[in-house]
Amino acid sequence: YLSNHITGVQRSWNELLSEPFESLYPDDYVEACKSISLHDESKYDDEEFDAYLCHFYPSEGFEDDELAFDYAWLRHQNMNPHHWQYWVLIRDGGELVPMDMPVSEIANMLCDWHSFSAKDPESTAYNWYSENKDSMILSDNTRYIVEELIVYLQDPLL
């Protein structure tokens, strides 16, 4: 699963987003390529791998542990700046402040979302964002860039 997901992220970048991104953000292109190449490396760490395995592929001796998965997901978000949650500051008192995401990480996030279209043609980044954008805490600048780039991720991976 993990290998297929990372391949889907890289295909989304190489086949659909790389060219328009380089045209729109030439100064950020190399950083975006680097970010994509390192996508989800933390999922190979024991703290994430085991909880993900048990959650998505439970079997005898490897039962799902919802709390362990929640901790693994939180760790993953906090270690991977391609997740929008990484860029939400929680101030003392609970105020949520969206910070601007680097455009290279926005590209990685969009390719992450789009990777699922390889298995389900309806699961494009464009469709996912359309359905979930109102619950995402994004800065105005981040949202602008997301909406500028997401139009290139309407067609599923074949």
Side-chain angles (χ1 to χ4, degrees):
Y1 160 80
L2 186 51
S3 178
N4 287 340
H5 172 62
I6 291 170
T7 298
V9 170
Q10 293 169 347
R11 284 187 58 214
S12 296
W13 172 250
N14 292 326
E15 296 173 23
L16 300 169
L17 195 56
S18 177
E19 259 183 54
F21 184 93
E22 185 175 22
S23 172
L24 292 165
Y25 298 99
D27 294 341
D28 299 293
Y29 182 75
V30 170
E31 191 60 34
C33 290
K34 180 180 174 188
S35 178
I36 299 279
S37 73
L38 300 173
H39 184 84
D40 278 358
E41 282 192 340
S42 70
K43 283 186 179 174
Y44 288 106
D45 296 346
D46 289 343
E47 299 90 346
E48 292 180 33
F49 189 89
D50 294 342
Y52 274 73
L53 176 67
C54 292
H55 182 76
F56 290 110
Y57 299 98
S59 62
E60 188 174 329
F62 297 98
E63 288 81 24
D64 186 16
D65 178 341
E66 189 174 344
L67 184 60
F69 178 75
D70 286 346
Y71 274 109
W73 177 228
L74 178 65
R75 179 185 189 274
H76 184 73
Q77 290 173 359
N78 287 324
M79 292 191 68
N80 291 276
H82 67 270
H83 289 282
W84 63 264
Q85 295 92 333
Y86 180 100
W87 299 96
V88 178
L89 171 65
I90 304 171
R91 287 194 174 140
D92 291 345
E95 179 187 7
L96 302 179
V97 181
M99 310 298 283
D100 289 344
M101 287 180 72
V103 67
S104 59
E105 298 302 337
I106 293 171
N108 194 344
M109 175 176 69
L110 296 178
C111 291
D112 188 13
W113 299 345
H114 199 69
S115 68
F116 299 99
S117 71
K119 286 183 92 170
D120 176 3
E122 296 299 312
S123 291
T124 65
Y126 185 88
N127 289 345
W128 192 90
Y129 178 70
S130 296
E131 294 168 10
N132 293 282
K133 65 183 176 183
D134 293 337
S135 62
M136 298 173 70
I137 303 167
L138 303 174
S139 71
D140 291 341
N141 185 59
T142 297
R143 191 170 301 276
Y144 174 83
I145 296 168
V146 165
E147 293 179 358
E148 178 180 46
L149 294 174
I150 199 113
V151 298
Y152 299 102
L153 298 170
Q154 294 183 57
D155 295 327
L157 292 170
L158 301 177

